[in-house]
Amino acid sequence: MLVGSAVATSPRRRVLGGERIEVRLRAPRPETVRRRKLEGDLVVYADASVVVVNKPAGVSTVPYGDEDPAEQAATLDALVREVLAHRDRLRGRAPLGVVQRLDKGTSGLLVFARTLAAKKHLAQQLRVRSMHRQYLALVHGAVPRGTHRSYLVEDRGDGLRGSAREGRREGQLAVTHVEPIEVLRGPQGEAAGATLVACRLETGRTHQIRIHLAEAGHPLVGEAVYVRDFRGPRIPAPRLMLHAAGLGFDHPADDRPMRFEAPPPPDFAEVLDRLRQPRQKGAT
């Protein structure tokens, strides 16, 4: 039903005098429209063994146990189960195994397993570091090419996750390869105020990219946690500017190479375009 030009789905919707009401008997149900949009935007590839999805920013990969029922139904794994159950005409929850996770504020590609055998196969690829994972990030300052290697601990001494002190091998080994792609302007229009970088992971530790770049003096744009020691001007952004742009693995069923790419979403692209534009004289 349309009230004016807007779709109305709630029976509590009040109609004002003079508003036009249009009823379309053959229009798809709102949940059908939502599911179709999810399937088109969310699922990149799916077969009997795996499903690759393009996660939007602001969605948790899995519930953490303290969410209300509505929030749990909106996590990425729940949304993917819903799409798969409908598409494959399954009753109940579609089987889905979590292999990797992305932070809530991070967008981009990740893979779920649809069978136990596939989950074990993909987990092994992560363990031996053969899975390809490449991220795009916007970071503060001029970032050089290099490899960051450290052992990450839950508390580096100030309450934050971070690298153990040099020479100590406590925690989990984390290795991040960083390649600068484009030098950008800063928040005041200064040259080399930011950099678009590609980060390739050897390991997959929690907040690995964020920690390594922040500890090198180049926190991500939009960073709200690992920015305590940064004294330069911060570039405003609607969220953490980190996007999982590339994903590759060997298919669990027959070992054929699978490769996927996803361009950054509009919010990332908008910040990037803003940092590319020269600052005009007299602008404030």
Side-chain angles (χ1 to χ4, degrees), residues 139-141 185-187 193-194 221-222 233-237 271 274-275:
V139 299
H140 291 84
R185 295 181 177 272
V221 173
R234 299 187 192 181
I235 299 170
V271 176
R274 172 160 48 88
L275 295 175

Side-chain angles (χ1 to χ4, degrees), residues 155-179:
D155 186 344
R156 64 183 184 181
D158 61 356
L160 291 180
R161 181 186 298 271
S163 297
R165 284 176 291 179
E166 189 174 353
R168 302 189 65 172
R169 298 186 58 176
E170 58 182 317
Q172 295 179 307
L173 176 65
V175 182
T176 307
H177 303 282
V178 178
E179 182 77 34

Side-chain angles (χ1 to χ4, degrees), residues 19-63:
E19 285 189 308
R20 176 177 175 175
I21 300 175
E22 182 180 349
V23 178
R24 297 181 180 178
L25 298 179
R26 295 186 178 182
R29 295 181 178 181
E31 59 267 25
T32 302
V33 174
R34 173 178 172 272
R35 188 183 297 115
R36 287 175 181 172
K37 186 177 188 302
L38 280 176
E39 185 167 359
D41 296 345
L42 197 66
V43 176
V44 176
Y45 173 86
D47 61 24
S49 299
V50 299
V51 54
V52 176
V53 301
N54 189 5
K55 174 188 170 300
V59 176
S60 297
T61 303
V62 294

Side-chain angles (χ1 to χ4, degrees), residues 51-52 57 61 64 79 103 119 123 131 157 163 181 206-207 244 246 273 282:
V51 54
V52 176
T61 303
Y64 291 94
L79 296 175
D103 291 345
K119 183 176 181 178
M131 185 177 289
S163 297
I181 298 175
T206 301
H207 299 172
D273 288 343

Side-chain angles (χ1 to χ4, degrees), residues 74-256:
T75 57
L76 185 65
D77 67 326
L79 296 175
V80 174
R81 290 178 197 273
E82 177 185 340
V83 170
L84 294 177
H86 180 264
R87 193 178 68 172
D88 297 345
R89 301 180 184 276
L90 301 175
R91 291 187 176 182
R93 287 162 55 90
L96 200 67
V98 178
V99 178
Q100 55 173 152
R101 295 174 174 83
L102 294 178
D103 291 345
K104 184 175 182 178
T106 302
S107 59
L109 296 168
L110 77 161
V111 60
F112 288 102
R114 301 189 68 182
T115 67
L116 181 58
K119 183 176 181 178
K120 290 180 178 179
H121 196 292
L122 292 170
Q124 176 64 13
Q125 292 181 54
L126 282 172
R127 278 193 292 270
V128 301
R129 306 180 190 177
S130 64
M131 185 177 289
H132 171 73
R133 289 162 295 161
Q134 181 163 295
Y135 293 71
L136 293 176
L138 294 174
V139 299
H140 291 84
V143 181
R145 177 182 182 181
T147 296
H148 300 263
R149 180 187 179 95
S150 68
Y151 287 86
L152 299 186
V153 294
E154 292 287 339
D155 186 344
R156 64 183 184 181
D158 61 356
L160 291 180
R161 181 186 298 271
S163 297
R165 284 176 291 179
E166 189 174 353
R168 302 189 65 172
R169 298 186 58 176
E170 58 182 317
Q172 295 179 307
L173 176 65
V175 182
T176 307
H177 303 282
V178 178
E179 182 77 34
I181 298 175
E182 183 179 353
V183 178
L184 306 163
R185 295 181 177 272
Q188 305 303 321
E190 66 273 21
T195 309
L196 171 66
V197 301
C199 299
R200 182 174 61 84
L201 298 185
E202 276 195 33
T203 57
R205 311 307 181 194
T206 301
H207 299 172
Q208 174 177 325
I209 293 174
R210 298 167 62 185
I211 292 170
H212 277 162
L213 285 168
E215 291 181 345
H218 304 289
L220 271 65
V221 173
E223 177 64 76
V225 178
Y226 303 103
V227 74
R228 183 179 298 175
D229 300 326
F230 184 65
R231 296 293 177 260
R234 299 187 192 181
I235 299 170
R239 53 105 172 172
L240 188 72
M241 292 290 101
L242 184 61
H243 174 70
L247 175 66
F249 55 88
D250 294 335
H251 196 282
D254 53 17
D255 287 325
R256 71 183 186 274

